[in-house]
Amino acid sequence: MSFDHNIKVLVVDDYKTMTRIIRNLLKQIDVNDSDEASDGHEALAKLRAGNFGLVISDWNMQPMTGLDLLKEVRADARLKHLPFIMVTAESKTENVVAAKQAGVSNYIVKPFNAETLREKIAKVMVHA
Amino acid sequence: MPDTAPVPIQALRGDLDATVGSLMAELEALGRIIADARLEVAALKADDIDAPDIPAATDELAAIVSHTAQATHEILDSCESLTNISDQLEQQHAQPLQHAITRIYEACSFQDITGQRIAKVVAALQAVERRIAGARQSMETRPPVVSATQPESLLNGPQMPGAGISQSAIDALFD
């Protein structure tokens, strides 16, 4: 399954190490245009200002969680159709169900590999 | 001034019927057990546990997170340098190198997972610390139950192997 590798991706995580890892993994799968935000508020500001084609967000952030960010994105008329992948260590069924109910496009449990990332991006971009 | 010294229960027993006497003896024994238990709790030296040990343990755990984060960033620096070198190599040499670099990036996510697990342990230790402080302040009042987890019910952090939902099970929810 292929997708447009020219998409602009916003990686959201309050953990600098993880944003760096994800952005490097994106490069490894030939997605070279990415930016990062360290919390939900910064992410929303960047999404509203920029022309992003995909959000990859952690769940466990403060003060705005990834789930809150997802709900804000889905409530925004301009952003509501933006593909949104949750990449998180939260692996309880209720977390996945809550994210799905909030409109997440796909869900990746940490730790993950580059192939899983590529596969999920391809899947959500096909439906975008 | 009247004599207020307690009258031994045994001395009163003749005036009471057998059931009441037995009940009072039980209560007296219970009182002794509670008094002994309080002495034993006091002997635990809660101050010693509270003062240096738990804060030191949480500091040590925070240091682990800090050191592993620093090491991870150095690994990532090296990987980024290798990627730049790889870009100058011929495909046959660059490809296996890129594959190895990808594996290193994937493995580096351990730092995020272990950091979250350690944060849960720190929260649990801090909860114990608060309980000890509460018990020390008032032996008469039970301190409130403090949850070691964060208040948000969906912030559970990494699950133990087999406890959480697998990626394939998650994928089934999106198919």
Side-chain angles (χ1 to χ4, degrees):
Chain A
M1 198 182 292
S2 64
F3 60 94
D4 180 7
H5 288 250
N6 294 316
I7 50 167
K8 187 174 180 183
V9 182
L10 183 65
V11 179
V12 190
D13 201 315
D14 58 354
Y15 205 50
K16 176 70 184 166
T17 312
M18 206 60 216
T19 53
R20 198 172 167 192
I21 290 168
I22 294 174
R23 292 185 71 187
N24 273 306
L25 284 173
L26 286 170
K27 284 181 190 168
Q28 297 298 106
I29 59 171
D30 291 326
V31 176
N32 294 303
D33 191 3
S34 69
D35 194 358
E36 65 186 60
S38 59
D39 62 59
H41 292 292
E42 185 187 359
L44 273 179
K46 285 195 171 184
L47 288 172
R48 285 168 178 152
N51 189 26
F52 289 93
L54 172 66
V55 181
I56 296 176
S57 177
D58 182 32
W59 182 310
N60 197 339
M61 299 184 291
Q62 296 293 339
M64 183 189 284
T65 66
L67 185 65
D68 294 334
L69 172 64
L70 171 63
K71 289 174 180 173
E72 290 280 345
V73 166
R74 292 294 177 250
D76 186 303
R78 279 189 57 239
L79 303 173
K80 64 181 178 183
H81 297 301
L82 189 63
F84 193 116
I85 298 176
M86 197 77 82
V87 178
T88 176
E90 302 291 345
S91 60
K92 286 196 166 182
T93 305
E94 54 260 40
N95 287 90
V96 185
V97 170
K100 200 173 180 202
Q101 285 174 344
V104 78
S105 309
N106 218 308
Y107 197 104
I108 300 175
V109 176
K110 296 176 185 172
F112 60 96
N113 58 35
E115 179 52 29
T116 300
L117 185 63
R118 190 203 62 75
E119 180 191 314
K120 302 310 174 200
I121 292 174
K123 200 163 187 174
V124 302
M125 294 314 293
V126 164
H127 292 106
Chain B
M1 194 167 176
D3 182 6
T4 56
V7 178
I9 289 173
Q10 198 60 39
L12 295 173
R13 183 160 284 175
D15 300 331
L16 303 170
D17 63 49
T19 304
V20 173
S22 174
L23 183 59
M24 291 189 71
E26 289 291 332
L27 287 172
E28 188 181 25
L30 192 58
R32 276 197 299 272
I33 291 169
I34 291 170
D36 289 347
R38 292 186 62 175
L39 287 173
E40 286 171 13
V41 169
L44 287 175
K45 296 185 180 178
D47 281 346
D48 290 347
I49 299 169
D50 185 31
D53 293 345
I54 292 181
T58 55
D59 288 348
E60 293 287 344
L61 290 170
I64 289 171
V65 174
S66 175
H67 288 310
T68 55
Q70 189 179 348
T72 305
H73 278 287
E74 286 177 18
I75 293 168
L76 293 174
D77 285 343
S78 301
C79 282
E80 286 165 4
S81 298
L82 287 172
T83 299
N84 292 335
I85 294 168
S86 168
D87 291 343
Q88 298 161 25
L89 298 175
E90 291 178 12
Q91 180 71 11
Q92 60 174 340
H93 299 300
Q95 198 165 9
L97 181 58
Q98 280 299 326
H99 181 68
I101 292 168
T102 301
R103 296 284 305 275
I104 295 172
Y105 283 139
E106 291 167 355
C108 280
S109 67
F110 85 92
Q111 212 269 324
D112 183 42
I113 305 289
T114 54
Q116 289 191 46
R117 287 199 189 282
I118 289 172
K120 288 172 80 172
V121 174
V122 168
L125 283 172
Q126 287 171 338
V128 170
E129 193 178 2
R130 285 194 295 273
R131 291 293 298 269
I132 290 171
R136 195 182 62 238
Q137 284 172 1
S138 174
M139 289 295 294
E140 301 297 328
T141 308
R142 282 179 71 88
V145 175
V146 181
S147 170
T149 57
Q150 297 178 63
E152 294 85 350
S153 61
L154 288 171
L155 288 178
N156 303 300
Q159 299 301 298
M160 295 303 286
I165 186 170
S166 68
Q167 183 65 56
S168 58
I170 291 168
D171 292 348
L173 292 171
F174 286 87
D175 287 338

